[in-house]
Amino acid sequence: MTEEARTDHSLTPVLRALRLCLHLMVAALLALAAVRAVADGRPTAPAVLATAVALLALYVLGPVLPRVRSSSRAAALWLAAVVAVWMVLLALTPDGVWLAFPLFFVQLHLLPLRWALPAVAASTALAIAGFAWHTRTLSVGTVIGPVLGAAVAVAVVLGYQALYRESEQRRRLIEELTEARSELAAAERAAGVLAERERLAREIHDTLAQGLSSIQLLLRAAERAVPERPETALGHIRQARTAAVDNLAEARRFVRALSPPDLEAGSLPAALERLCAATARTSGLAVHCQVSGAPAPLPTPHEVALLRIAQSALANTVQHAAADRVELTLSYMDTEVALDVVDDGAGFVPSEVPPPGSGAGGAGFGLAAMRARARALQGTLAVESAPGEGTALAVTLPCPDPTAVPETPREAAP
């Protein structure tokens, strides 16, 4: 493929205009040579006119032929034919020397650089020799003119090629940056989808799933009590109805991404007290809640995380621990807040808990969700347990300094 075919697709309007000017220069110089030969009444005027017309026709034919545009060999043959006819014109009239300048550009454009430079040098020598033969003299001006023209042509073409390579590098860089930007946007969208999916999974596990489990236990207890203790069964049914109403409120809450209803109605210690009382009513466990330290306001994400972790921990205790007593302690410290949930149940081996979703019913997801909540707030969650020795779960979250009040724009102004 020729250099012309490689660069046609990326020509700017300015470069197309320059190419058109080159073609017009060839036509104008051929017309000048023919007109001067006829006007001066030279004996070679008919031959000059015929050669000029033939050279113009051959020059116009080159860009039209697809073979010349796509094949280096065909382009070289066409260029050789143009140079041969030009040599005939140069032999007939000294005005043919002016055509050497546009021919330099054509040679540098069509041929590889290793062949174009010798071709330009040969054309320069032919132009000098032809003009000297017609004038019968070889002066400094005769030599400097074609040499300077060749040097200018080489400098212009090499400069254009350097600019073209730099432009191509920038174009490729822009394409790579655009592609990387698209991939980054797709990755961010995928990460956002995964994060939202994980949030919904945690919310469903800590609210709807636990609430439905409580409803199931209450209805099962009511079913057993119906024949002999209808009043007890009615109480279980009422508790199940209350749990269903609470679950509906939770579902609407996390669909709207609002804070839990328990936190909207009061503080975190009060919400934990209500949670422990509800767990004790529905499960029959002795659940005790206490607060250590002076309660301090916490950011909403911290309160939501601690409440959800407490819900999940108590639900695990009810479903899996076979415990009789649970102690829940909320501790306020200077720079941290801690939540401890300790039961006297059957215990387990923490290292043997299956990964989330690998067991029946999504076993292992509760602990993974609690750890994810703590990690999202730069906190830690530790679980200590052994078969027959109960379970202790401790989560610690760093608290922002309440005295570190952000500087207002007015205070920051000079």
Side-chain angles (χ1 to χ4, degrees), residues 52-72:
V53 171
L55 182 56
L56 180 61
L58 183 60
Y59 183 84
V60 172
L61 186 64
V64 176
L65 295 177
R67 187 68 176 169
V68 173
R69 298 169 60 87
S70 60
S71 172
S72 299

Side-chain angles (χ1 to χ4, degrees), residues 284-311:
L285 291 176
V287 184
H288 181 254
C289 178
Q290 63 178 354
V291 177
S292 172
L298 296 174
T300 300
H302 288 61
E303 293 187 341
V304 172
L306 291 172
L307 179 60
R308 292 303 186 217
I309 290 173
Q311 288 176 328

Side-chain angles (χ1 to χ4, degrees), residues 234-258:
L234 183 59
H236 289 322
I237 292 174
R238 287 172 178 167
Q239 291 179 8
R241 181 180 177 184
T242 301
V245 171
D246 293 340
N247 257 25
L248 181 59
E250 288 285 358
R252 289 170 176 168
R253 195 278 317 161
F254 77 70
V255 166
R256 297 185 181 126
L258 302 175

Side-chain angles (χ1 to χ4, degrees), residues 111-183:
L111 299 177
L113 190 61
R114 64 179 182 275
W115 299 110
L117 293 179
V120 169
S123 300
T124 305
L126 287 174
I128 294 173
F131 193 77
W133 183 72
H134 282 288
T135 59
R136 301 292 190 268
T137 59
L138 184 61
S139 63
V140 175
T142 303
V143 176
I144 290 180
V147 170
L148 283 180
V152 169
V154 171
V156 169
V157 171
L158 291 182
Y160 159 73
Q161 290 178 352
L163 291 175
Y164 176 77
R165 285 193 296 269
E166 183 178 353
S167 174
E168 284 296 294
Q169 290 175 356
R170 290 183 178 178
R171 181 185 61 81
R172 286 192 295 268
L173 179 60
I174 291 173
E175 291 177 353
E176 292 174 0
L177 290 176
T178 303
E179 183 178 357
R181 187 175 180 179
S182 300
E183 292 176 355

